[in-house]
Amino acid sequence: MSDRETLDTLLRRHGTTYADETGIRLRDTPQPLYQLLVLSDLLSARIRASVAVASARALYAQGMRTPRRMAEATWQQRVDALGEGGYRRYDERTATQLGDGAVQLLDAYGGDLRRLRRDAEGVTGAVREALQRFPGVGPTGADIFLREVQTVWPETAPYLDAKALQGAERLGLPTSPAALTRLAKGRDPAVFAAALVRTALDKDAAASVRSAA
C-alpha cells in the first residue's frame, strides 16, 4: 500500500480533532480558545481520552465555558462536573488547577489567549512555554493545545509532536515532520495530527488503518 492510501484511510477513519469531538467550535476567539485550554489540561493526565472529553463536556454543560465562569464556580462544583464525566482519579487536584488557571488567565491576559499569542510574536516555542505556566498544563498539555489550535493559529503549523510521530511510525508512514507535512499537503494540519495521535493511543486503530489501506 502507498503512503497516500494509508493517509486517506487514516483521515477517513480517525480524522476528528479532540476539540470537534468535545463540541468546541474552534475559532480565534476567547471562549473556544479557553475551552481548548481546559480540554488540553484534562487530556494531558494519564486517563482515557474519552473520559477527558466527557469531563470537558460536563464542565461546559455546567456553564464553565469561560475563565470568568470557571473562576466563579466553587471548587465543589468543578469536582462534581469532573466526576460526572468520569474524571475521578484526579478530580480534586484538577478542580483546584482549573480554578487557579482561570484566575491566572484573567490576571495575565484578561481572559484572552490571543494576548498570549500576540506576546509570543509568532514564535511557537514561546507559545508552548507560556502555556506551561498555567497550572496542570505542562509539556504534554501544551503539545495538545498546539496540535489542536494550528488550524486557527496557522503560524504554529505544522505541529507534529512526539505522540503524533509515534502514530506515524505505527502506520509505517515517514517519521520526520518535514516528510509528513509534504505527504499531508492540502489537508487540515490539526485533523492530520489528531488522527496520528489516535493511532498512537490505540494499537487496534493503527492495525485497522493498515489493513483497510
Side-chain angles (χ1 to χ4, degrees), residues 85-102:
Y87 208 90
R88 295 184 180 89
R89 183 177 176 186
Y90 305 101
D91 56 352
E92 295 186 359
R93 182 183 68 183
T94 302
T96 299
Q97 291 172 339
L98 289 173
D100 291 347

Side-chain angles (χ1 to χ4, degrees), residues 18 21 39 42-43 45 47-55 198 201:
Y18 288 98
E21 184 181 350
L39 176 62
L42 299 182
L43 284 167
I47 199 164
R48 292 194 311 276
S50 60
V51 171
V53 167
S55 300
R198 290 179 187 277
L201 296 175

Side-chain angles (χ1 to χ4, degrees), residues 13-91:
R13 289 179 173 241
H14 303 292
T16 302
T17 66
Y18 288 98
D20 282 342
E21 184 181 350
T22 308
I24 300 170
R25 296 183 178 181
L26 194 56
R27 301 182 302 279
D28 188 26
T29 55
Q31 182 168 306
L33 290 172
Y34 174 67
Q35 291 173 0
L36 177 60
L37 182 66
V38 170
L39 176 62
S40 300
D41 185 346
L42 299 182
L43 284 167
S44 67
R46 294 185 178 181
I47 199 164
R48 292 194 311 276
S50 60
V51 171
V53 167
S55 300
R57 287 175 177 166
L59 287 165
Y60 308 151
Q62 295 301 317
M64 290 171 259
R65 302 184 188 92
T66 67
R68 180 72 61 191
R69 293 294 299 274
M70 185 70 77
E72 290 174 346
T74 66
W75 177 83
Q76 190 60 54
Q77 286 172 325
R78 293 193 292 268
V79 168
D80 290 346
L82 290 167
E84 181 182 332
Y87 208 90
R88 295 184 180 89
R89 183 177 176 186
Y90 305 101
D91 56 352

